[in-house]
Amino acid sequence: VEKTLEKKQVINGKYEVQFFLDETDVYQKYRVKGNDNKTYLLKLYNSSKLSRYSFTNEGLLETEILRQIDHINIISLVESGEVVKNSQKYHFLIFDFISGETLHEKLKREGVFSPYSAVPMTLNILDAVAELHNHPRTVIHNNINMNNISLDYSKNSEKPILTGFNFARYIDSKSNSVDIEQLSPFSIAPELYNGVFTPQSDVFSIGALLYQMIFGIPPWYLELPEYQYSDDKFKTLLFDKRNEDLSFIMPDFEELDDEHLKETIVKALSIDVENRFKNIKEFNEALRRQVILEGGSTKKTKQVSTKAEVKQGDGFSALAGMEELKTLLYNDVIKALNEKELYARYGITIPNGILLYGPPGCGKTFFS
């Protein structure tokens, strides 16, 4: 790999290059250290290779969009600018560094996700994308896939972070302004092949993400070399493949036995936009089982009452620290008591008790 930046090179007078991370056809990523001694991610674009649709009057469209977005599950832009190197112009973006790995890397390392872990992670991504869709001009991400979801492990938990905004567009941006040849063909909605992108396009991509987490491969996967993805023959094969019913056979050769989850995935991945979830809110409600999909993905949904007695008290917010213990009790006890049917469906039983141990004064009695 021919690296544009050298180690120890300083960008914008603030960020010292530590080492090269990754590259695509149009950008390179570096780990850098700021004057504040914090670690950041630098994304360096070769400006001459970018589409004209990647720019606004003020600079990169990606920069403009991210400056307006603030969400816990969306990558944080710190600053941006331009730099000239070897008579070439480059645009750079500085992000908060994510200490972890991508969903794709975790899938390769550990294998498929259980529905119990995949669904909550998908709900976090849905919340992040809802923030984009609720923007006054409605932002469509267009490139949601396993490589653009990073897992932040910095706080002893897996927090999914949505990244990869270089193909994000406003809904009123020009059609055909997204180069689909640069996208993952198994993750993008069929209407994108016609240059059309809407909130339902992101719904499809998140449905494909959920499917791949649980089954290990993208929906309607074709085993062909990546260099053939741009061929018309491949697109014809993919379109034909998508006319087939989805397979719900798990890697252990057992079929997924959660009918509601299957119906939810089918509806999210509907080729016909009329049968797909109309928005993120509908998808979110289905995954949370606030609606029940009856007799197939094209049927109407029936509202399920989710009212519960509201108990007074500050709960865990009254306790400082002990985040690992709070998370353990919430997932293994509190959530299990509140969602008994969900836990029973995956064979997870509620513990008979929990033993708190430690030296005097560590908070055992206060916590309990």
Side-chain angles (χ1 to χ4, degrees):
V1 176
E2 185 178 348
K3 303 177 185 64
T4 303
L5 304 179
E6 295 90 21
K7 190 174 182 179
K8 301 270 185 199
Q9 183 174 345
V10 177
I11 302 298
N12 208 30
K14 297 181 184 178
Y15 304 100
E16 181 181 284
V17 175
Q18 292 186 306
F19 51 82
F20 172 85
L21 292 173
D22 192 14
E23 74 167 353
T24 69
D25 290 340
V26 296
Y27 67 77
Q28 294 184 342
K29 289 182 179 179
Y30 297 83
R31 177 169 170 161
V32 298
K33 189 174 185 179
N35 287 345
D36 54 4
N37 285 323
K38 291 183 179 179
T39 300
Y40 296 95
L41 172 69
L42 182 146
K43 191 175 183 181
L44 186 73
Y45 285 102
N46 185 332
S47 307
S48 62
K49 291 185 177 182
L50 292 173
S51 158
R52 61 191 176 96
Y53 300 113
S54 298
F55 294 92
T56 67
N57 293 332
E58 305 299 324
L60 289 181
L61 176 59
E62 179 178 0
T63 302
E64 178 180 293
I65 289 173
L66 285 170
R67 279 178 177 163
Q68 303 173 67
I69 303 297
D70 182 16
H71 191 277
I72 191 172
N73 296 112
I74 293 179
I75 193 168
S76 297
L77 177 67
V78 177
E79 68 174 277
S80 61
E82 299 178 20
V83 64
V84 175
K85 182 82 185 290
N86 299 328
S87 300
Q88 290 283 337
K89 179 172 282 190
Y90 297 87
H91 281 74
F92 70 85
L93 291 82
I94 303 292
F95 299 98
D96 283 341
F97 192 80
I98 301 173
S99 298
E101 61 186 336
T102 66
L103 270 182
H104 185 258
E105 288 168 339
K106 180 168 184 178
L107 181 69
K108 288 175 63 177
R109 183 171 57 82
E110 294 188 356
V112 297
F113 295 70
S114 70
Y116 172 66
S117 61
V119 168
M121 203 166 290
T122 304
L123 288 171
N124 284 326
I125 299 304
L126 285 170
D127 288 343
V129 176
E131 183 79 7
L132 304 178
H133 293 181
N134 291 332
H135 184 276
R137 287 183 66 184
T138 303
V139 175
I140 314 300
H141 187 280
N142 287 317
N143 197 21
I144 301 171
N145 60 62
M146 300 283 282
N147 287 311
N148 283 334
I149 307 294
S150 291
L151 298 175
D152 183 0
Y153 296 146
S154 63
K155 295 184 178 178
N156 297 319
S157 62
E158 290 183 341
K159 183 173 76 171
I161 306 291
L162 180 62
T163 68
F165 279 77
N166 42 312
F167 292 106
R169 299 288 186 268
Y170 296 118
I171 196 169
D172 56 8
S173 297
K174 183 177 175 59
S175 297
N176 291 306
S177 62
V178 176
D179 181 5
I180 61 170
E181 306 298 341
Q182 303 294 323
L183 306 181
S184 171
F186 302 108
S187 299
I188 61 175
E191 59 268 21
L192 263 167
Y193 283 95
N194 296 324
V196 177
F197 41 85
T198 71
Q200 284 181 287
S201 308
D202 282 346
V203 165
F204 185 97
S205 296
I206 299 173
L209 182 81
L210 176 58
Y211 183 96
Q212 188 170 357
M213 279 195 282
I214 296 173
F215 298 97
I217 58 173
W220 298 294
Y221 182 64
L222 293 168
E223 288 195 66
L224 290 171
E226 286 190 21
Y227 70 84
Q228 294 185 12
Y229 287 176
S230 59
D231 294 348
D232 289 339
K233 182 179 179 181
F234 169 81
K235 295 173 186 175
T236 300
L237 289 172
L238 179 61
F239 296 157
D240 290 343
K241 186 76 173 176
R242 285 179 171 180
N243 287 325
E244 300 176 7
D245 290 339
L246 276 171
S247 170
F248 288 104
I249 303 300
M250 310 280 280
D252 60 2
F253 302 107
E254 295 289 331
E255 183 169 357
L256 179 66
D257 61 359
D258 186 333
E259 292 300 322
H260 177 82
L261 182 55
K262 289 199 297 192
E263 294 288 353
T264 301
I265 293 173
V266 167
K267 191 169 180 66
L269 289 172
S270 174
I271 303 303
D272 185 350
V273 293
E274 292 298 319
N275 295 330
R276 200 182 305 162
F277 291 114
K278 298 296 184 289
N279 49 53
I280 293 295
K281 182 174 181 290
E282 284 190 4
F283 194 177
N284 195 314
E285 288 175 346
L287 272 186
R288 293 182 185 275
R289 298 173 192 267
Q290 294 172 346
V291 295
I292 302 300
L293 302 179
E294 296 182 324
S297 62
T298 62
K299 300 282 185 175
K300 291 185 177 180
T301 57
K302 178 178 69 178
Q303 226 27 71
V304 175
S305 174
T306 57
K307 292 182 179 179
E309 180 184 354
V310 178
K311 297 182 180 180
Q312 300 301 316
D314 295 327
F316 285 158
S317 62
L319 300 173
M322 296 189 281
E323 297 299 327
E324 185 175 354
L325 181 55
K326 290 180 192 176
T327 301
L328 175 68
L329 284 175
Y330 176 76
N331 288 329
D332 289 1
V333 180
I334 297 172
K335 193 172 181 181
L337 288 170
N338 290 334
E339 301 181 39
K340 294 180 182 179
E341 293 181 359
L342 176 61
Y343 276 58
R345 188 174 292 112
Y346 299 117
I348 301 172
T349 58
I350 302 172
N352 293 326
I354 291 181
L355 175 65
L356 301 178
Y357 65 94
C362 70
K364 299 186 297 295
T365 303
F366 180 65
F367 202 103
S368 60

